[in-house]
Amino acid sequence: MKLFFRSAFRLLLPVVIFLLGLQAHVLVDLVMKTNVPDGQPDDNANRLPATTAQQVTLIRDALPGQRRRNCQLVYILGVEGVSHHGFEHIIKHLASIQKDTVSNIPYDIVNEDMKKRNNFLFALYGEYNRTIAKQNGEILPMGYNHTPPLDDPHLVEQLFAHSCPHDGKKHVIIDWHSFPSGRFQGKRPLRVHRQKDWIHMSSSEIAKSKAALNHPFNLTAFYIAYSRYADIKFIVLHRPYLEAIASHANWDRTPIIHSEITRGFIYILRRFLDKYAVDTTTGDRLWHLVCVQEISSKFYNNDETRLQLARRRFVEELTEFLNWPMNECPNCFDVWRESTKDHVAILGDYATTVKRHADSLKGLWPPATHGDQCNI
């Protein structure tokens, strides 16, 4: 009988090994496969070389046990011209008044520390100060002598070891780059710069291009790698389209070209937001839409009472989304400045075409959340 089982085991062992290998292969395929709508590019397919499929599987499997409970990463997401600068002051001031409800220790705003901010810029964008690097013998942030992929496991681990130490504090990283970002030949190092080729491409072609999917960084690679260590929250900014285009009207030669490039990045953002509506670990909402016009006085015809009520509601909704305890912030808008530019006059003869571009985005952008699309 023993001889029979030994013989059977020897015969079946290769089959079992083969089946296990096949299952692992299928699992990796399932992890890497994205639900991309017809006609829309797969941002995983064109991303820069980084982790292998097996590493991505391991990262996702490790999420629940590895995430730092004292670490939150708030990313302000949007295309150019949607008031990133102004909103950054609001969210940072709101974060600065937060305290842990148990220890009463104030939150640590990580990127207020210049060294930690430089670490983050280097890790996510490949950005660093060339002058400082030269002074340090070409040593880059965190001791690197080269720029690794944004989801390099050692890089990400090092970043959060510096950013979110286990010291009894809650650490909050707040950052943003617009999509797209910078100039065609920007002086600052980035993994992928704004591309001149985009001037001659349609919005759909841009949305499929490898460069655009990795500029200023690859959203999918970022979320998979960084959510292993931090509670990531995206604050999605929307500003009326013509105003957004007019704010950087000539950055891409003409407002029409700038609008075409902007639409390409809107497709990329929308695809990511559809794919990751909730956190893959907690099931909580991953992103929150902010309609910039709804915290602006002109939206209420300068009715101060309605404006203050709207801003109070905005702060309450934002703190609820971020799970921050303090939901009153009377000074959050102290440095907020509203544009007084005439966007139609700035766009001039291009206004009609840009308006058609805006109309083409209805139902696509801004992304709907709780049935609201910024009163569009």
Side-chain angles (χ1 to χ4, degrees):
M1 182 64 70
K2 289 182 179 179
L3 182 61
F4 170 79
F5 280 115
R6 285 177 183 172
S7 300
F9 178 77
R10 287 172 182 168
L11 289 171
L12 290 173
L13 182 59
V15 177
V16 172
I17 292 173
F18 170 78
L19 290 175
L20 287 173
L22 180 62
Q23 287 181 343
H25 176 73
V26 171
L27 177 61
V28 168
D29 282 348
L30 287 173
V31 169
M32 293 300 291
K33 189 174 181 62
T34 57
N35 296 320
V36 182
D38 292 340
Q40 295 291 342
D42 180 350
D43 51 349
N44 270 327
N46 292 305
R47 49 175 298 205
L48 293 178
T51 55
T52 63
Q54 183 180 10
Q55 287 173 317
V56 171
T57 305
L58 292 173
I59 286 173
R60 287 190 172 180
D61 288 344
L63 274 171
Q66 294 291 330
R67 179 173 290 184
R68 294 171 181 245
R69 295 184 179 181
N70 69 332
C71 194
Q72 187 177 50
L73 200 168
V74 180
Y75 202 89
I76 307 168
L77 191 65
V79 295
E80 282 173 325
V82 294
S83 305
H84 285 93
H85 286 286
F87 189 81
E88 180 184 22
H89 290 290
I90 295 173
I91 190 67
K92 283 188 174 180
H93 186 78
L94 184 59
S96 71
I97 65 173
Q98 303 299 320
K99 292 183 179 181
D100 186 275
T101 54
V102 177
S103 66
N104 206 38
I105 297 175
Y107 286 9
D108 170 43
I109 315 304
V110 175
N111 283 12
E112 294 297 281
D113 181 303
M114 187 56 66
K115 184 176 181 180
K116 291 180 179 179
R117 173 167 170 74
N118 289 339
N119 288 344
F120 185 82
L121 295 178
F122 175 69
L124 187 54
Y125 313 109
E127 183 178 338
Y128 61 90
N129 187 303
R130 282 196 174 100
T131 301
I132 294 177
K134 188 174 182 179
Q135 292 172 351
N136 293 335
E138 302 303 328
I139 299 299
L140 307 181
M142 293 183 283
Y144 280 88
N145 59 9
H146 67 288
T147 304
L150 73 88
D151 60 351
D152 176 83
H154 181 263
L155 172 70
V156 180
E157 184 178 4
Q158 284 284 96
L159 173 67
F160 285 102
H162 287 92
S163 301
C164 300
H166 295 293
D167 56 2
K169 297 180 181 179
K170 177 164 182 175
H171 304 278
V172 180
I173 303 169
I174 300 172
D175 202 68
W176 65 272
H177 269 31
S178 61
F179 285 69
S181 182
R183 297 285 190 168
F184 290 122
Q185 293 179 324
K187 295 181 180 179
R188 58 183 178 177
L190 291 173
R191 286 191 184 88
V192 180
H193 282 276
R194 196 186 197 104
Q195 303 292 301
K196 282 189 175 181
D197 290 348
W198 297 341
I199 290 176
H200 309 291
M201 296 166 65
S202 68
S203 55
S204 59
E205 289 172 333
I206 292 168
K208 296 175 184 178
S209 72
K210 180 178 179 179
L213 291 168
N214 290 284
H215 172 82
F217 62 93
N218 185 289
L219 280 163
T220 299
F222 160 70
Y223 176 65
I224 291 174
Y226 285 54
S227 63
R228 177 180 178 181
Y229 294 94
D231 171 30
I232 296 180
K233 297 289 188 182
F234 290 98
I235 299 174
V236 182
L237 299 186
H238 169 74
R239 184 182 180 189
Y241 190 77
L242 268 66
E243 293 183 24
I245 297 302
S247 70
H248 294 71
N250 297 313
W251 273 44
D252 300 299
R253 295 189 181 176
T254 72
I256 292 177
I257 295 175
H258 179 59
S259 176
E260 194 71 20
I261 292 173
T262 299
R263 284 199 301 168
F265 278 89
I266 282 176
Y267 299 153
I268 291 173
L269 295 185
R270 179 58 195 263
R271 187 170 59 249
F272 173 78
L273 296 174
D274 283 346
K275 182 179 176 183
Y276 293 104
V278 297
D279 187 284
T280 54
T281 299
T282 65
D284 295 335
R285 285 190 299 139
L286 186 62
W287 53 270
H288 174 73
L289 177 66
V290 171
C291 306
V292 174
Q293 70 269 31
E294 294 183 5
I295 55 174
S296 301
S297 59
K298 64 182 179 181
F299 187 77
Y300 304 97
N301 296 318
N302 297 312
D303 185 327
E304 189 65 22
T305 300
R306 293 176 62 207
L307 174 64
Q308 293 306 319
L309 286 173
R311 288 180 173 178
R312 188 180 306 163
R313 183 171 60 250
F314 154 78
V315 171
E316 290 173 353
E317 291 175 352
L318 191 57
T319 52
E320 180 183 3
F321 167 68
L322 296 171
N323 197 27
W324 290 357
M326 301 294 293
N327 64 1
E328 293 185 8
C329 188
N331 302 116
C332 268
F333 289 85
D334 284 357
V335 297
W336 174 260
R337 297 292 180 268
E338 297 179 17
S339 174
T340 58
K341 297 177 182 177
D342 185 340
H343 58 274
V344 175
I346 291 172
L347 295 174
D349 295 338
Y350 299 108
T352 301
T353 302
V354 174
K355 178 65 166 58
R356 284 202 299 269
H357 287 179
D359 291 341
S360 73
L361 294 170
K362 287 183 178 179
L364 177 70
W365 196 269
T369 173
H370 301 302
D372 178 24
Q373 279 194 302
C374 300
N375 289 301
I376 293 178

